[in-house]
Each structure stands twice: as C-alpha cells, then as structure tokens.
Amino acid sequence: MAKGRKGRQRDTGKGAARGPALPGIPGGLDAVFGVHAVRALLERGDAPRVLWVQEGEAQQRLAEMVDRARQGGARIELRSRDELDRLAREAAHQGVVAFTAPLAFESEASLWFKLEAWPHEAPPLLLVLDGVTDVHNFGACLRSADAAGVHGVIVPKDKAAPLNATVRKVACGAAESLPVYQVTNLARALARLKESGIWITGTAGEAEAQLFDADFCGPTALVMGAEGKGMRRLTREACDGLVKLPMAGSVSSLNVSVATGICLFEAVRQRRGAGG
C-alpha cells in the first residue's frame, strides 16, 4: 500500500425473554432479528441453523428469504407473532429471527494481510473504538461504520464490547458484513498502522482543532474513545492529531455512536469531494 498521504446486570443479548420460557430455542446459538440482518447473513453465505418465520402474512412476504435459507440447510419453523415478540423484546424482528453460530472477531494477522495487499481503489478508512464496552453503542457504531463505507473496525482485546446477539441486533446486519479486528495491544497496533502509511486521527473534547479542519482524504484511522473517559493515554499518544466536534449548545459531549456517525460522514463528504 502506498505510504504517502493523499490530502490530509446489563442485557447480554442471549435471547432469553422474561415470562414463560419459549420452547425450541436452539442452545449455543445467537438470535439475529430483522430482515436486513438476516439478509446480510444469507448474502455472505452464512445460512442460519434455524429460521423462525412469523406465521401468516410474513410467510408470503418473506418467501424468497425462506427459500434461500432452506437451500442453505436451515430448518424453517413457523412461529406466532407473540413468540417472536417475546424473544425479540423491544427489537423490531419484522417477522423473522435467525439462529446462527456466534460471530467471531477477525484476527490481527488478517488486518495486516489486508493492508499489505490492499484490495480497494479508495485509500483505507478504518474506525478504531477504544474502551467502548456498551453493546448498544458498539452495535450502533458498527451500523454507522457500515453505512459510511468503512473498510474495517479495530477494537482492543480488553475493554471492548463482545460481538454478541445484542450487538448484532442493534447493528442491523453491519456486524455480519463489516470486518471487526481484535488486536492484543491497541497502541502497538496504531504504531504499525502508521508504518503502513495510515494517519491516525483521535477525537477528544479538549482538542484545539475542529473536526471539519481535519483531512480524511488519505489513508485514515479514526479513533473514538469511550464516553466520559475518552481515549486511554497510550492511545491518545499514538494519534497523529486530535480533533473535536463543535458544540454550540449546553451539552459538552455526544453519545459515542452519534459522534462516530458525524465524524465518519465528514470523511465521506471529503472523500466524495476529492473523487475518492
């Protein structure tokens, strides 16, 4: 890859619902809710082991998806809306729930291999999450990253949310389609990214530079820290520069997933303007 810079008790999501136990829930599998998330599974060739489909109108509406899942070896079970509601709780299941093997993080070695043999025309755009342990925030960050065309997300082995069923539910398919790399030592990984020609931009409320002054057109890794504590010291020291969001109101900070979306789409705006 070219080294030059162009331009510049908590819910664990295991699927258990309060009230009467739901019969027939496959053990050891994650529940994936909703049309988009289930379609993402099928498009990557990861057919679920079991597919619950709401009986009635949903059977007709989801007939193509059901056929595709069946061809992949999934066992199809018709369930009532009440059963799906109880399993999904507040999630919008849209008449379909897939049960599949839990997701695994991509290895650190696969990250370096991908960067060495960079397969895309556009320069890398990576998202780094330091200390984001809340599964809902993690899932929302993945959803924004996927929408913004991020090439991969990097998380540390410690102080990071798991890739569990709740994350998959919130991410709405992004957890299945977006590679999430787990690294042993984040500061060391950031140093190696620099050696690969990637510029590291961290976000911090006390930064002097504003987000819109940053240059995201070249190979970029955007680092977002946990709410409240922000980035850890070694992570901050590994950044080439720090930026902040312009805050005009009375609040001093935004939810990390909201801030992530704003920052990533500023990168999208710049790259489109530069023809990237």
Side-chain angles (χ1 to χ4, degrees):
M1 192 186 78
K3 294 184 180 296
R5 185 181 185 186
K6 300 179 183 179
R8 188 38 215 157
Q9 230 97 68
R10 178 175 291 168
D11 175 20
T12 60
K14 296 296 184 180
R18 294 180 181 178
L22 287 169
I25 296 180
L29 301 179
D30 275 354
V32 179
F33 305 92
V35 171
H36 296 298
V38 175
R39 182 177 291 125
L41 281 176
L42 297 172
E43 288 178 351
R44 64 178 260 172
D46 186 12
R49 310 276 182 85
V50 181
L51 189 73
W52 283 13
V53 182
Q54 183 179 320
E55 56 190 3
E57 181 271 335
Q59 294 176 242
Q60 304 301 320
R61 175 169 49 86
L62 303 173
E64 182 179 351
M65 177 181 291
V66 170
D67 287 343
R68 190 171 178 182
R70 183 183 287 112
Q71 292 171 9
R75 185 175 79 245
I76 310 300
E77 297 184 6
L78 297 180
R79 297 281 177 159
S80 68
R81 177 172 179 174
D82 180 65
E83 287 178 295
L84 268 63
D85 286 346
R86 284 161 53 200
L87 177 65
R89 302 188 192 179
E90 75 282 359
H93 55 72
Q94 299 173 303
V96 62
V97 179
F99 295 92
T100 186
L103 280 180
F105 290 101
E106 297 280 347
S107 69
E108 185 170 352
S110 64
L111 170 63
W112 309 131
F113 177 81
K114 183 174 183 179
L115 290 175
E116 184 67 25
W118 188 243
H120 305 288
E121 182 177 348
L125 176 59
L126 303 172
L127 173 65
V128 181
L129 301 176
D130 182 26
V132 177
T133 58
D134 182 88
V135 290
H136 294 88
N137 282 335
F138 186 29
C141 287
L142 294 183
R143 187 173 181 176
S144 293
D146 181 74
V150 166
H151 298 110
V153 177
I154 300 172
V155 298
K157 189 174 182 180
D158 62 329
K159 297 187 182 302
L163 269 177
N164 65 10
T166 302
V167 172
R168 298 173 78 164
K169 177 173 63 176
V170 175
C172 294
E176 285 75 27
S177 61
L178 185 65
V180 183
Y181 303 97
Q182 187 180 69
V183 299
T184 303
N185 184 300
L186 185 56
R188 188 164 60 227
L190 293 177
R192 185 163 176 178
L193 288 177
K194 288 184 182 181
E195 293 174 1
S196 299
I198 294 176
W199 289 75
I200 315 296
T201 299
T203 54
E206 68 276 13
E208 295 184 4
Q210 303 245 353
L211 169 69
F212 306 122
D213 298 325
D215 183 353
F216 296 119
C217 291
T220 298
L222 175 69
V223 186
M224 306 297 299
E227 290 184 64
K229 295 182 179 179
M231 294 179 293
R232 290 176 287 184
R233 180 180 60 83
L234 292 178
T235 305
R236 182 189 304 264
E237 292 174 356
C239 294
D240 292 301
L242 301 177
V243 297
K244 65 180 178 181
L245 289 172
M247 304 294 292
S250 59
V251 297
S252 60
S253 64
L254 296 175
N255 175 281
V256 64
S257 64
V258 174
T260 296
I262 294 171
C263 292
L264 288 177
F265 276 90
E266 169 60 16
V268 170
R269 184 193 68 80
Q270 292 188 18
R271 286 170 173 236
R272 285 191 174 181

